[in-house]
Amino acid sequence: MDDKAFLITNEHGKGPFRLYTTKGSSTKGPWYCGIMFLLFWAVLFFSIVIPLFFRLPTVLHAEEDSGKGKFIGERAYKTLNDLNNIGPRVTGSNANEVDTINFLLNEIEDIKANMLEEYFTLETDVQITSGSHIYSSLLEMYQGVQNVVVKLSSKNSTSESYLLVNSHFDTVLTSPGASDDGFMVATMLEVLRVMARTEKYFEHPVVFLFNGDEEMGMQASHGFITQHKWAKNCKAFINLEGAGGAGREIVFQTGPYHPWLTNYYKKSAKHPFATTLAEEIFQSGLIPSDTDYRIFVQYGDIPGFDFAQMINGYVLHSKYDRIDVIPRGAIQNSGDNVLELVWALSNAPEMRETNAYRTGHAVFFDFLGLYFFNYTEDTGKILNYSAGVVTLLLILVSTCRMSAFSNLSCCQLMQRLIILSVIQIIALVFAMGIPLTIAYVIDSFGLSLSYFSSTYLIIGLYICPSLFGLSLPTMIYYQLQQNSNVSFTYHLQLGLHSWALIVSGLVLSLTEYGIRSVYILTIILVFYSISLALNLLTTFHDFGYNWTCLHICSQVIPFLNSSYVIYIYLLTMPAISGRSGSASNPDIIISVLSALLTVLCFGFLAPLINMFRRPSIVVFSLFLVSAIAMYLASSTQIGFPYRPKTNPERVLYQHVRKIFYEYDGSISQDESGYLFNFQDRREDQPYTGVNLTGSTKTKSECEKHMMCGLPLFDERWVGNRLQGMWLPRETIEPPSSTTLELLNKTVLENNKTVRFNFRVSGPPHLNLYIQPREDDFVTITDWSFSQDYLKNPPITPLSYHIFITFGIVKPPLEFFLDISKPSGDFNVPLFQLGVSGHYLDDAGDTSSQKFASTFPSHTVLIHWPSLYQRYIF
């Protein structure tokens, strides 16, 4: 009997060409199995992905230190506790410049006292450094910031190539910085201790850089890499950062252009956690942050790794960033990985001349923390192109096979495939568009961030609507095709093929565009192709629903991988959205991530709900879950974003006195008030009980005055200047003076340039804002600061902005400005000069403290007095 004769062409009287055989039934399953089918994947996620994501190793205790080179997590945790007890360590404060330096030196001295002196030498240097670099629209200038630098070498080593390991010990205002970055400081100290006490040779010396000024603009790392005596020998680095310390650390940047680095991570990391997608997202600017990694790459031209703790970012930069939020297993996890990686790199032959190994980027990722994959970008392109082409060929074979077992030609089936591809594109648009629309609507009603504390709302608000949009078009299509002359099981396969066509197109085009994280789509495509090839070889392809078994099994690995990768961002981005400013709608990002999760995980699964009777019940259930979530988000306390201690709202403001001096020295304006820099989308809406009467937006002031006439502290204050708020109050008397003195004014020999010499004094954190008059062709031709910044001024309407940090050295600072004017008339206004002093170690006067006490318990306040004075010269 031939294959065609074997086929029975009637399925319950519906249509003349339904596929039904004795080898496999094509009868649809009961409707409730459709819901169970979706729940199966949810159970798979919560039973496998979540436990593996949060899995941590058992912490080792001091009694387990046998001198065999084990990282002792309990000892590192104690070190972290001692460092944390110092309290907030703001650059320029006594806690940072004296107490923490002494703490580190004592720890290092203890390590040296117990070191194997017959094997190793240890050198310590406290670097006091000054300099500047351009960051965003600012010139970051630093005076007397400190680094504690340690070099550990094997005694018989002659290598002039060093490995650099870096973390920072300073913190932001009010934060004890347990996760950012005390966690990694303690990890480094323990790594240094273990290496110095283990009989294990390493060829290349290791430089441990404990840098004392990262939070104010990565200044201490710049001072090290551009000025320290050991910097020129550093050939690679490991940067250790923190953005929450409740879990595993992730490698989110590596290289650049040095894929050999990931080979060593693969060999050495006991608990791998890394993804190329993190690197591409971070470097795109979607995450409002930066690290010392950029400094080392940009100014040292050396390759390296960027590690970060990133779980529970809700406490980052707040008073709740304490040791009690960090599990001991987390520090054991980081220590195990970092210790082994340091040992591996310190013996790597590539370290002798890293530039010789400068090639393309790397593609890297881990699977559930169980295994790490890495390959070069060129290899990735080959894999991506191959997967796309092979999938297209298999689809062609499958379509021709369908033609051989039906009364339709291959061309007719191709037409169906094209129609289904259009349907799937519509489904993709719905899957992405519906969550985006919901995000826009929620934001328009002032309800953004409803998921901030109740992250499970994301399932109902965005994932279910996306799945609804992904399922609806195909469901409607298949319902309209009940009497089609194509068997339903073939029709269902064509639907999956059409999705494979779309994915193949994305893989090929994104690879051509240079997106390395397309590997996620390639994995999905490879497993679909494997199941399709096996179904064709076993002939399950042609017998009822038999082919679905292999197809469903083949989707388990892609589902786990895709959900694992996207979960990283669905876990971290809500916390980040609480400190990303008010200018953009964070729900947009969350909705896009949710839609990506849905599309990646269910693109090859959603059409299968049509295997069951009444798939509309499944689709309606998704709609119902979404409706319930929207109600909870909009009408109950569940949707209120903030919770005390665990999910606080950040409130950032200055107690400002601003004085405007005119050209003749008179005062045209002397005002005081609170200047708010909103950290999230809801702005002042949740400030219940706080009297904000008389407050105004700062946008109008930005149209009148240089830099809005306000003491914009750093790049984030500049970026949020149009969304700020000013609340007037009675006159503020700053804790101490910030003064600008004109020392002299000298016309230079060409009679077209005049030099102004100034002295500025005040607290350890100062800002200068300089803006020449535009209508008189006035220019700054020279000054005491960076020439690169002078020649590349910020884009109008921003002025020159010089952010100055003082560490162990204190003001005053003397500088000059050379002002040129073609007419040589210097007895008229030439430029504006603003000076702001920031008193970060002061809580303000009695009125300020009383005002702070009115904020609700779900807030964490970061505030300080500042004085802004604008002069015209």
Coordinates of all heavy atoms in Angstrom, one line a residue, residues 175-212:
S175 N 24.4 56.1 52.1 CA 24.4 54.7 51.9 C 25.7 54.1 52.5 O 26.8 54.5 52.2 CB 24.4 54.3 50.4 OG 24.5 52.9 50.2
P176 N 25.6 53.0 53.3 CA 26.8 52.3 53.8 C 27.4 51.5 52.7 O 28.5 51.0 52.9 CB 26.2 51.4 54.9 CG 24.8 51.3 54.6 CD 24.3 52.5 53.9
G177 N 26.7 51.3 51.6 CA 27.3 50.7 50.4 C 27.8 49.2 50.6 O 28.8 48.8 50.1
A178 N 26.9 48.4 51.2 CA 27.3 47.0 51.4 C 27.4 46.3 50.1 O 28.3 45.5 49.8 CB 26.2 46.3 52.3
S179 N 26.4 46.6 49.2 CA 26.5 45.9 47.8 C 27.3 46.8 46.9 O 27.9 46.2 45.9 CB 25.1 45.7 47.3 OG 24.4 46.9 47.0
D180 N 27.3 48.1 47.0 CA 27.9 49.0 46.1 C 28.9 49.8 46.8 O 28.6 50.9 47.3 CB 26.9 49.8 45.4 CG 27.5 50.7 44.3 OD1 28.6 50.4 43.8 OD2 26.8 51.8 44.0
D181 N 30.2 49.4 47.0 CA 30.8 48.2 46.4 C 31.6 47.5 47.4 O 32.6 46.9 47.1 CB 31.6 48.7 45.2 CG 32.0 47.5 44.2 OD1 31.3 46.5 44.2 OD2 33.0 47.7 43.5
G182 N 31.1 47.6 48.7 CA 31.8 46.9 49.8 C 31.9 45.4 49.6 O 32.8 44.8 49.9
F183 N 30.8 44.9 49.0 CA 30.8 43.4 48.7 C 32.0 43.0 47.9 O 32.6 42.0 48.2 CB 29.5 43.2 47.8 CG 29.2 41.8 47.5 CD1 28.2 41.0 48.1 CD2 30.0 41.1 46.5 CE1 28.0 39.7 47.7 CE2 29.7 39.8 46.1 CZ 28.7 39.1 46.7
M184 N 32.3 43.8 46.8 CA 33.4 43.4 46.0 C 34.8 43.8 46.6 O 35.8 43.1 46.3 CB 33.3 44.1 44.6 CG 32.2 43.5 43.8 SD 32.3 41.7 43.5 CE 31.0 41.4 42.3
V185 N 34.8 44.8 47.4 CA 36.0 45.1 48.2 C 36.4 44.0 49.1 O 37.6 43.5 49.1 CB 35.9 46.4 49.0 CG1 37.1 46.6 49.9 CG2 35.7 47.6 48.0
A186 N 35.4 43.4 49.8 CA 35.6 42.3 50.7 C 36.0 41.1 49.9 O 36.9 40.3 50.3 CB 34.4 42.0 51.5
T187 N 35.4 40.9 48.7 CA 35.8 39.8 47.9 C 37.3 39.9 47.4 O 38.0 38.9 47.5 CB 34.9 39.7 46.6 OG1 33.5 39.5 47.0 CG2 35.3 38.6 45.7
M188 N 37.7 41.1 47.0 CA 39.1 41.3 46.6 C 40.0 41.0 47.7 O 41.1 40.4 47.5 CB 39.2 42.7 46.1 CG 38.9 42.9 44.6 SD 39.0 44.6 44.0 CE 40.7 44.9 44.5
L189 N 39.7 41.5 48.9 CA 40.6 41.3 50.0 C 40.8 39.8 50.3 O 41.9 39.3 50.6 CB 40.1 42.0 51.3 CG 40.3 43.5 51.3 CD1 39.5 44.1 52.4 CD2 41.7 43.9 51.4
E190 N 39.7 39.0 50.2 CA 39.8 37.6 50.5 C 40.5 36.9 49.4 O 41.3 35.9 49.6 CB 38.4 37.0 50.7 CG 38.4 35.5 51.0 CD 39.0 35.2 52.3 OE1 39.3 36.1 53.2 OE2 39.4 34.0 52.5
V191 N 40.3 37.3 48.1 CA 41.1 36.7 47.0 C 42.6 37.0 47.2 O 43.4 36.1 47.1 CB 40.6 37.3 45.7 CG1 41.6 37.0 44.6 CG2 39.2 36.8 45.3
L192 N 42.9 38.2 47.6 CA 44.3 38.5 47.9 C 44.9 37.7 49.0 O 46.0 37.1 49.0 CB 44.4 40.0 48.3 CG 45.8 40.5 48.7 CD1 46.9 40.3 47.7 CD2 45.7 42.0 49.1
R193 N 44.1 37.5 50.1 CA 44.5 36.7 51.2 C 44.7 35.3 50.9 O 45.8 34.7 51.2 CB 43.4 36.8 52.3 CG 43.8 36.0 53.6 CD 42.7 36.1 54.7 NE 42.8 37.4 55.3 CZ 41.9 38.5 55.2 NH1 40.9 38.3 54.4 NH2 42.1 39.6 55.8
V194 N 43.8 34.7 50.1 CA 44.0 33.3 49.7 C 45.2 33.1 48.8 O 46.0 32.1 49.0 CB 42.7 32.8 49.0 CG1 42.9 31.4 48.4 CG2 41.5 32.8 50.0
M195 N 45.4 34.0 47.8 CA 46.5 33.8 46.9 C 47.8 34.0 47.7 O 48.8 33.3 47.4 CB 46.4 34.9 45.8 CG 45.2 34.7 44.9 SD 45.2 35.9 43.5 CE 46.6 35.4 42.5
A196 N 47.9 34.9 48.6 CA 49.1 35.1 49.4 C 49.4 33.9 50.3 O 50.6 33.8 50.8 CB 49.0 36.4 50.2
R197 N 48.5 33.0 50.6 CA 48.7 32.0 51.6 C 48.6 30.6 50.9 O 48.5 29.6 51.6 CB 47.6 32.1 52.7 CG 47.8 33.3 53.5 CD 46.6 33.5 54.5 NE 46.5 32.4 55.4 CZ 45.5 32.3 56.4 NH1 44.7 33.3 56.5 NH2 45.4 31.3 57.1
T198 N 48.6 30.5 49.6 CA 48.5 29.3 48.9 C 49.7 29.0 48.1 O 50.2 29.9 47.3 CB 47.2 29.3 48.0 OG1 46.1 29.6 48.7 CG2 47.1 27.9 47.3
E199 N 50.3 27.8 48.1 CA 51.5 27.5 47.4 C 51.1 27.2 45.9 O 51.1 26.1 45.5 CB 52.1 26.2 48.0 CG 52.6 26.4 49.5 CD 53.2 25.2 50.0 OE1 53.4 24.2 49.3 OE2 53.4 25.2 51.3
K200 N 50.8 28.3 45.3 CA 50.4 28.1 43.9 C 51.0 29.3 43.1 O 50.7 30.4 43.2 CB 48.8 28.2 43.8 CG 48.3 27.9 42.4 CD 46.7 27.8 42.5 CE 46.2 27.3 41.1 NZ 44.7 27.2 41.2
Y201 N 51.9 28.9 42.2 CA 52.6 29.8 41.4 C 51.7 30.5 40.3 O 50.9 29.9 39.8 CB 53.8 29.1 40.7 CG 54.5 30.0 39.7 CD1 55.5 30.9 40.1 CD2 54.2 29.9 38.3 CE1 56.2 31.7 39.1 CE2 54.9 30.6 37.4 CZ 55.9 31.6 37.8 OH 56.5 32.3 36.9
F202 N 52.0 31.8 40.1 CA 51.4 32.5 39.0 C 52.4 33.4 38.3 O 53.2 34.0 39.0 CB 50.1 33.3 39.4 CG 50.3 34.2 40.6 CD1 50.7 35.5 40.4 CD2 50.1 33.7 41.9 CE1 50.8 36.3 41.5 CE2 50.3 34.5 43.0 CZ 50.6 35.9 42.8
E203 N 52.4 33.4 37.0 CA 53.5 34.0 36.3 C 53.4 35.5 36.3 O 54.4 36.2 36.5 CB 53.4 33.5 34.8 CG 54.5 34.2 33.9 CD 54.4 33.7 32.5 OE1 53.5 32.9 32.2 OE2 55.1 34.3 31.6
H204 N 52.2 36.1 36.1 CA 52.1 37.5 36.0 C 51.6 38.1 37.3 O 50.6 37.7 37.9 CB 51.0 37.8 34.9 CG 51.3 37.1 33.6 ND1 52.4 37.3 32.9 CD2 50.5 36.2 33.0 CE1 52.3 36.5 31.8 NE2 51.2 35.8 31.8
P205 N 52.3 39.2 37.8 CA 51.8 39.8 39.0 C 50.4 40.4 38.9 O 49.9 40.7 37.8 CB 52.8 41.0 39.1 CG 54.0 40.6 38.4 CD 53.5 39.8 37.2
V206 N 49.7 40.4 40.1 CA 48.4 40.8 40.1 C 48.3 42.1 40.9 O 48.8 42.2 42.1 CB 47.4 39.8 40.8 CG1 46.0 40.3 40.8 CG2 47.5 38.5 40.0
V207 N 47.7 43.2 40.3 CA 47.6 44.5 41.0 C 46.1 44.6 41.5 O 45.2 44.5 40.7 CB 47.9 45.6 40.0 CG1 47.6 47.0 40.7 CG2 49.4 45.6 39.6
F208 N 45.9 44.8 42.8 CA 44.6 44.9 43.4 C 44.4 46.4 43.6 O 45.1 47.0 44.4 CB 44.5 44.2 44.7 CG 44.6 42.7 44.5 CD1 45.8 42.0 44.4 CD2 43.4 41.9 44.4 CE1 45.8 40.6 44.3 CE2 43.4 40.5 44.2 CZ 44.7 39.9 44.2
L209 N 43.5 47.0 42.9 CA 43.2 48.4 43.0 C 41.9 48.7 43.8 O 40.8 48.3 43.4 CB 43.1 49.1 41.6 CG 42.6 50.5 41.6 CD1 43.5 51.5 42.4 CD2 42.4 51.0 40.1
F210 N 42.1 49.2 45.0 CA 40.9 49.6 45.8 C 40.8 51.1 45.6 O 41.5 51.9 46.2 CB 41.2 49.3 47.3 CG 41.4 47.8 47.6 CD1 42.7 47.3 47.5 CD2 40.4 46.9 47.8 CE1 43.0 46.0 47.8 CE2 40.6 45.6 48.1 CZ 41.9 45.1 48.0
N211 N 39.8 51.5 44.8 CA 39.8 52.9 44.4 C 38.8 53.7 45.2 O 37.7 53.2 45.5 CB 39.6 53.1 42.9 CG 38.2 53.1 42.4 OD1 37.5 54.1 42.6 ND2 37.8 52.1 41.6
G212 N 39.1 54.9 45.5 CA 38.4 55.7 46.5 C 37.5 56.7 45.9 O 37.0 57.6 46.7

